[in-house]
Amino acid sequence: MGPGGTPPVGDAPPPGVLGVLIPKQEILTRTRDAVIALTCLRVHEEGCVLELVAAARRGDRPHETWFGRTDAQAGALFAPVPGRTDPAAVRVRVAHAGADPGTPPLLRGSAGTSTPDLLELTLRFWLSPNPPPTPFDLVVEWPAAGIAPHRHPIDGGEIAEAARRVQRFW
């Protein structure tokens, strides 16, 4: 941690800054019983927050095999944990110009709800530095929900333009 308990520069959105919101509302990939969607980007000069929703429904699977548990109440088990590779977790990476996906953005927050038949996670990833102002791919997967790696194009130019409109509080 930095001074006053703040994350080191580059590890989280900076305090005292009004990031520029880019609404997305895009389904990145889905199966019959699972989906990963990009809801928005919150752009800062140093990086941007990618907000995703991952949801899975039990469908016709018996409760006993629903994520290998008797219920879906352990939704936090399926959110990624920084520094840990969990085969059940949602995975996010960034790939530029047809390259292999690189280092994943940092998970900076997650929340979830679940019922015996539905699991829904909201995940916020910090991507820093901002990508170049060229197209890139957001690569997502969720093995536990049957979602294989999927590449979805994102406009890096839109992020670069938004970064120029960031406002500091003071």
Side-chain angles (χ1 to χ4, degrees), residues 54 72-76 79 109-115 118-124:
Q73 300 301 321
S110 65
T113 60
S114 64
T115 70
L118 177 69
L119 170 65
E120 187 171 317
L121 302 167
T122 299
L123 306 165
R124 289 177 195 85

Side-chain angles (χ1 to χ4, degrees), residues 50 92-94 103-107 125-128 138:
L50 310 166
V92 176
R93 293 187 178 270
V94 173
T103 304
L106 294 171
L107 179 69
F125 294 91
W126 174 243
L127 175 62
S128 180
L138 193 58

Side-chain angles (χ1 to χ4, degrees), residues 11-137:
D11 283 355
V17 175
L18 182 60
V20 175
L21 183 67
I22 301 175
K24 286 297 187 181
Q25 297 181 304
E26 296 177 16
I27 301 288
L28 302 179
T29 185
R30 78 170 105 208
T31 65
R32 188 180 68 133
D33 292 323
V35 65
I36 300 175
L38 176 64
T39 59
C40 68
L41 303 171
R42 186 170 304 276
V43 180
H44 297 267
E45 294 170 326
E46 301 86 350
C48 63
V49 174
L50 310 166
E51 184 172 293
L52 283 78
V53 170
R57 62 183 177 185
R58 183 173 64 88
D60 57 7
R61 290 179 295 243
H63 280 282
E64 297 77 32
T65 61
W66 168 230
F67 277 118
R69 302 184 54 91
T70 57
D71 60 45
Q73 300 301 321
L77 294 175
F78 305 105
V81 176
R84 187 178 93 197
T85 302
D86 185 340
V90 175
R91 299 178 192 157
V92 176
R93 293 187 178 270
V94 173
H96 300 281
D100 289 335
T103 304
L106 294 171
L107 179 69
R108 295 310 303 170
S110 65
T113 60
S114 64
T115 70
D117 297 316
L118 177 69
L119 170 65
E120 187 171 317
L121 302 167
T122 299
L123 306 165
R124 289 177 195 85
F125 294 91
W126 174 243
L127 175 62
S128 180
N130 276 323
T134 57
F136 68 94
D137 289 333

Side-chain angles (χ1 to χ4, degrees), residues 14-18 167-170:
V17 175
L18 182 60
Q167 298 180 43
R168 300 206 173 268
F169 291 165
W170 299 277

